[in-house]
Amino acid sequence: MKKYSILLFFATISILGTAMTSFSLGLWILNSSQTTFVYALISFLTVLPPILLGPFIGGFIDRFDKRKIIIYGQLLAGFFSIVLMTLYHLDFIKVWHVLLITFLNSIVNGFIGKAFYVSTVVLVPKEKISKAKGLEETSIALTTILVPIIVPLIYNLIGLEAVFVIDILTFSVSIIGFLTIKYGLDTATKKKFTVRNDFKEVKDFFTSKKGMAEILVFYSVISFFLGGLGILITPMVLGFSDEIGLSITMILAGIGSFLGGGLMSFFKGFMYPMKSILNLLMIVSFILVLFLFIPISITSVSILCCLFMFFSSIMMICDHTFWQNTVPYDLQGRVSGYKGLIIGIWVPVSFLITSVLIDYVLIPVADQIPLNRNYYPGTDRTYVILILFSLIGGLVFVFTGFIKRKKIFKQIDLLYIKKLKHPADS
């Protein structure tokens, strides 16, 4: 656990630098191109490549030294930052440069993130994985809190080039840390690297464990419902407030994640993680329903976002704990890669569908409805996003309540308990 904590510290430094650069580049694109489409494209290119390449990345991770993958990945990511800094310094940087580097960087970060994810099983005893994931969630949340506070100051007072320098320094510190500390994360399997063989092994794993395939289906449905909500917070808040109000909302959302991760870092974890996930999901969905029925202000939205992220972070930690205790070490990368593809692909699909639904269905309908602007301030876009939040929350609540009655999910928890008590079986 000590080595994991030290490595997490260096990884967090690197994540902070990356997040600062991403946030700054978003501001630069909004200022230079004046188009929200390109701004949204950055998020799209950041998320989609690791999802689509998940099975390939997972197969690669399972076969090679995780420590070297993290180090070489950090070097490559640092090189990309140097390229962007040089282009910016020479006043030659273009929007397409940023989009290309974002695309390449997302692939590299996919390898780094997956290697660190799989490393947890080696560095942390199974009974402490929940605590480890709590620390990880707390660290990520800390960057979420800090970035909206410090980046605008650096960006406006010093400039984008200063952010690049900080990013390169954080990469350097992280690489030195990973080079200094030795830990056994060498090759786990010598099997030939083919997509067909990997797919068969992952398929055999899911079919041999009763209920695992059902989890993928359930998670995919939830991912479709909730996947597009994150990108709707910004237009919803800006519809009745300004950038300061948005920053307050983002910071409080980060505090929610921080508190959830902090709680789990001191907590041994839930004995029945799948049951806990379903219960937490019902709480999260109920919070979404409240968006339409509570008078809207920055205070109320920020509190709801804080609560949403608090329970969501605990739910994600339960999920990571479950999978890392039940999947054999030499399959961790491949199983998580295919799982990420099957579930994660619904996030951009959800984004596209919700965007079309808002622009071409809900807003035209809202135009015909007289609104109390004291209760629903802002634009019609804000109002329809509130409706969508509440509608999705209600659907998820009902669907999760129905799933809770299925005995198959109770059996999944029994499998988790068995693996926890007999780790040699993994």
Side-chain angles (χ1 to χ4, degrees):
M1 189 72 178
K2 182 179 179 181
K3 285 186 177 180
Y4 175 84
S5 300
I6 295 173
L7 293 172
L8 179 61
F9 170 75
F10 287 115
T12 303
I13 292 176
S14 176
I15 292 171
L16 178 61
T18 301
M20 289 177 62
T21 300
S22 298
F23 193 92
S24 299
L25 287 173
L27 294 177
W28 178 81
I29 281 182
L30 284 176
N31 292 332
S32 60
S33 66
Q34 298 296 321
T35 169
T36 55
F37 173 75
V38 179
Y39 177 74
L41 197 55
I42 288 184
S43 299
F44 184 79
L45 291 175
T46 300
V47 172
L48 191 61
I51 292 174
L52 294 180
L53 296 175
F56 170 80
I57 293 174
F60 188 90
I61 295 297
D62 281 340
R63 289 172 170 85
F64 294 93
D65 190 318
K66 283 72 175 170
R67 177 171 172 266
K68 290 181 179 179
I69 292 173
I70 294 173
I71 292 171
Y72 291 142
Q74 297 274 20
L75 286 170
L76 195 53
F79 170 74
F80 291 149
S81 292
I82 292 174
V83 170
L84 284 177
M85 183 178 71
T86 303
L87 291 172
Y88 183 79
H89 180 73
L90 297 174
D91 198 24
F92 189 66
I93 191 169
K94 306 294 182 184
V95 170
W96 72 266
H97 293 146
V98 176
L99 295 177
L100 177 61
I101 294 296
T102 298
F103 173 77
L104 295 175
N105 219 6
S106 69
I107 297 175
V108 172
N109 286 328
F111 280 91
I112 296 173
K114 192 69 68 180
F116 193 83
Y117 172 86
V118 175
S119 302
T120 307
V121 181
V122 174
L123 299 171
V124 179
K126 282 184 174 288
E127 66 275 9
K128 293 184 178 180
I129 286 180
S130 181
K131 290 185 176 182
K133 291 301 172 182
L135 286 173
E136 185 177 328
E137 183 68 24
T138 302
S139 300
I140 295 173
L142 187 61
T143 64
T144 305
I145 297 170
L146 291 176
V147 166
I149 298 174
I150 61 179
V151 169
L153 294 175
I154 297 174
Y155 182 85
N156 291 317
L157 295 178
I158 306 176
L160 182 58
E161 199 164 4
V163 180
F164 286 133
V165 172
I166 294 173
D167 192 9
I168 294 168
L169 288 175
T170 58
F171 276 124
S172 302
V173 172
S174 179
I175 291 169
I176 293 172
F178 278 95
L179 283 171
T180 303
I181 302 172
K182 304 292 183 181
Y183 53 101
L185 297 176
D186 54 355
T187 305
T189 177
K190 302 291 184 181
K191 294 179 181 179
K192 188 178 179 180
F193 191 1
T194 67
V195 175
R196 183 177 181 180
N197 289 342
D198 283 356
F199 177 77
K200 183 179 183 304
E201 288 196 54
V202 173
K203 180 183 176 182
D204 289 343
F205 169 79
F206 279 106
T207 54
S208 64
K209 304 291 189 297
K210 191 175 181 181
M212 287 294 195
E214 285 82 354
I215 289 180
L216 288 184
V217 175
F218 172 68
Y219 277 8
S220 296
V221 174
I222 297 301
S223 180
F224 172 73
F225 280 132
L226 301 182
L229 298 186
I231 53 95
L232 297 179
I233 289 292
T234 297
M236 187 263 285
V237 172
L238 291 180
F240 70 92
S241 185
D242 53 17
E243 288 77 5
I244 295 177
L246 179 61
S247 296
I248 293 172
T249 302
M250 292 175 63
I251 291 170
L252 281 177
I255 290 174
S257 295
F258 181 83
L259 293 175
L263 175 65
M264 295 302 289
S265 66
F266 292 101
F267 185 48
K268 191 173 181 179
F270 296 99
M271 182 59 70
Y272 303 97
M274 190 53 58
K275 179 181 179 181
S276 301
I277 289 171
L278 294 175
N279 289 334
L280 289 165
L281 192 55
M282 294 193 74
I283 295 174
V284 166
S285 60
F286 179 72
I287 292 172
L288 288 176
V289 172
L290 292 178
F291 271 91
L292 187 63
F293 297 98
I294 290 181
I296 294 302
S297 65
I298 284 299
T299 301
S300 62
V301 168
S302 298
I303 291 174
L304 288 176
C305 287
C306 181
L307 291 172
F308 181 91
M309 293 307 301
F310 173 78
F311 291 108
S312 294
S313 64
I314 297 176
M315 184 170 61
M316 287 187 289
I317 292 168
C318 288
D319 175 70
H320 289 315
T321 303
F322 169 80
W323 288 98
Q324 293 208 296
N325 272 295
T326 54
V327 179
Y329 172 65
D330 62 345
L331 273 175
Q332 285 276 338
R334 282 165 286 176
V335 168
S336 63
Y338 276 96
K339 171 177 171 276
L341 173 62
I342 294 170
I343 299 170
I345 196 62
W346 293 104
V347 173
V349 171
S350 176
F351 166 65
L352 293 175
I353 292 177
T354 53
S355 299
V356 172
L357 185 64
I358 288 172
D359 290 338
Y360 297 103
V361 179
L362 294 179
I363 288 181
V365 172
D367 286 339
Q368 311 301 320
I369 301 175
L371 299 176
N372 180 350
R373 287 305 179 188
N374 293 323
Y375 201 85
Y376 298 114
T379 63
D380 284 343
R381 187 178 302 277
T382 295
Y383 177 59
V384 299
I385 290 176
L386 295 175
I387 292 177
L388 195 60
F389 275 28
S390 186
L391 176 62
I392 289 175
L395 290 173
V396 172
F397 187 89
V398 173
F399 180 63
T400 305
F402 172 77
I403 291 297
K404 281 186 65 177
R405 304 175 63 179
K406 298 290 183 180
K407 293 182 179 180
I408 191 68
F409 288 91
K410 296 179 181 179
Q411 295 175 356
I412 289 295
D413 275 334
L414 296 179
L415 172 65
Y416 167 81
I417 295 172
K418 179 183 176 181
K419 292 291 184 180
L420 194 62
K421 292 182 177 180
H422 306 284
D425 296 341
S426 300

